[in-house]
Amino acid sequence: MRNFGKGLVAISAAAAAVLAGTSAASGDEVGTRSIATDLSPQRVAGDFNGDGTTDVAVWRPADGVWYVRGLFNVQWGQAGDIPVAADYNGDNITDIAVWRPSNGTWYVRGITTVAWGVAGDIPVPADYDGDNRADIAVWRPSNGTWYVRNIATVAWGIGEDIPVVGDFNGDNRADFTVWRPSNGTWYARNIATVQWGVGGDIPVTGDFNGDNRTDFAVWRPSNGTWYVRDIATVAWGVGGDIPVSGDFNGNNRTDFTVWRPSNGTWYSLNVLTVGWGVGGDVPV
C-alpha cells in the first residue's frame, strides 16, 4: 500500500484527544475544547526523510516548532494553526505544513501558500486523484461537503460525522469516508457502509495487514483497546492516550501506537518506546 502517512491527514491527534475526553491544549484538562481540537482531523504520522519508516515527531503550538526526532527542529506555524503534514510534491517525503483557520490559508513550507477553506472546516489533505501528491482539501461540517482543490466538490456526511481519509478499495486514491459516532457506522462513498465501533471510540486509519487497503479500525479510550475489523483486537494504551497511525518499522503495516501526553512518551507495540514531546504537543 502506498504510504498514506506521507500523503494524508486522517483524524487529528488533537481531535482524538477531545474524543478521549482530554483537551489538546493540556493533557490534564478534561472536557475542554479549543480551535485545535474542534477543527483538527486525526493525524497519521509522517516520514520526514523518505526512508520508508514513520518518524517520531511532534508539533508544539506554544512556539510553532516541529520537533522531528533524530532529524531536525523547524519553526513553522503559530498557535491556533492545525498541522497538516503530507507529501504535497510527490517526492515521498512528508512536508511541513499548517492550515490556519483564522484565514483559511495553507502554508506548506518551501512549496506553496494557498487560501482554501473557512473557519469551521476540517482539513483533510490526501491524494484524491492518484498522482502521488497530497491534495489540498477540507471537509465542512456545516453542510457535510468535501472541497478538494481543483479536483472535486462532494457532499458526503453530516455535521456530527468524523472524516476519515484512507484508501479502502486499494486503487491508490483517497476515498470520501466518514465515521458516525451516533451509530458507530463507517460510510465510504461508493465502497461500503460498515457498522464498526461505538460512541466514544476514536476511528483510526491504517493498513494493519499489508493488503494495500485501509482497514476499518477504532481505538477505545475506555479500555485502551484497538478493534480492527476482521484482523485483530489488541489492548494497547490507556485513557488519555492519543492513537497515532504509522509504520514505525518499515514493514508496510500500520503499527499499534499511542502517544501519552502525560509523560510525552510514544508506545508502539513490539517496535519502540520513546520519550518525545510534552503535554500540549500534537504528534505528527
Side-chain angles (χ1 to χ4, degrees):
M1 178 179 186
R2 184 161 45 82
N3 187 352
F4 266 75
K6 298 176 186 175
L8 66 87
V9 172
I11 296 185
S12 87
V18 167
L19 292 169
T22 305
S23 166
S26 168
D28 297 323
E29 298 173 8
V30 176
T32 59
R33 302 181 68 118
S34 69
I35 288 177
T37 58
D38 285 338
L39 301 184
S40 302
Q42 172 196 351
R43 186 153 309 282
V44 176
D47 176 5
F48 292 90
N49 62 354
D51 67 354
T53 61
T54 300
D55 297 304
V56 171
V58 297
W59 180 71
R60 190 160 297 163
D63 58 12
V65 174
W66 299 66
Y67 298 90
V68 184
R69 184 173 180 263
L71 295 177
F72 56 79
N73 299 340
V74 172
Q75 198 287 324
W76 192 256
Q78 63 187 38
D81 289 351
I82 296 172
V84 286
D87 179 11
Y88 293 89
N89 60 357
D91 64 357
N92 291 319
I93 296 176
T94 300
D95 301 305
I96 303 288
V98 297
W99 181 70
R100 190 160 296 163
S102 62
N103 62 8
T105 299
W106 297 66
Y107 299 92
V108 185
R109 185 172 182 264
I111 297 175
T112 191
T113 299
V114 174
W116 192 256
V118 299
D121 289 352
I122 296 176
V124 283
D127 180 6
Y128 293 87
D129 61 356
D131 67 353
N132 295 317
R133 298 170 185 247
D135 301 303
I136 290 174
V138 297
W139 181 72
R140 189 160 296 164
S142 62
N143 62 7
T145 299
W146 300 67
Y147 298 92
V148 185
R149 185 173 181 263
N150 297 330
I151 295 174
T153 299
V154 175
W156 192 255
I158 60 177
E160 70 165 283
D161 293 347
I162 298 172
V164 186
V165 182
D167 177 10
F168 291 87
N169 61 357
D171 66 353
N172 288 323
R173 296 172 185 244
D175 302 305
F176 299 104
T177 304
V178 296
W179 182 73
R180 191 161 296 164
S182 62
N183 61 9
T185 299
W186 298 69
Y187 300 91
R189 184 173 180 262
N190 298 328
I191 297 173
T193 298
V194 174
Q195 197 288 322
W196 191 255
V198 299
D201 288 353
I202 298 172
V204 183
T205 191
D207 177 5
F208 292 86
N209 63 352
D211 68 351
N212 298 319
R213 297 170 185 250
T214 300
D215 301 304
F216 297 103
V218 297
W219 182 73
R220 190 161 295 164
S222 61
N223 62 8
T225 299
W226 299 68
Y227 298 92
V228 186
R229 186 173 180 260
D230 297 330
I231 295 174
T233 299
V234 175
W236 191 254
V238 300
D241 288 352
I242 296 172
V244 183
S245 182
D247 176 11
F248 292 86
N249 59 1
N251 67 351
N252 292 318
R253 297 174 183 236
T254 300
D255 301 307
F256 298 101
T257 305
V258 296
W259 181 71
R260 191 161 296 164
S262 62
N263 62 8
T265 299
W266 296 66
Y267 300 92
S268 186
L269 181 63
N270 297 327
V271 179
L272 59 82
T273 299
V274 173
W276 192 257
V278 300
D281 289 352
V282 178
V284 291

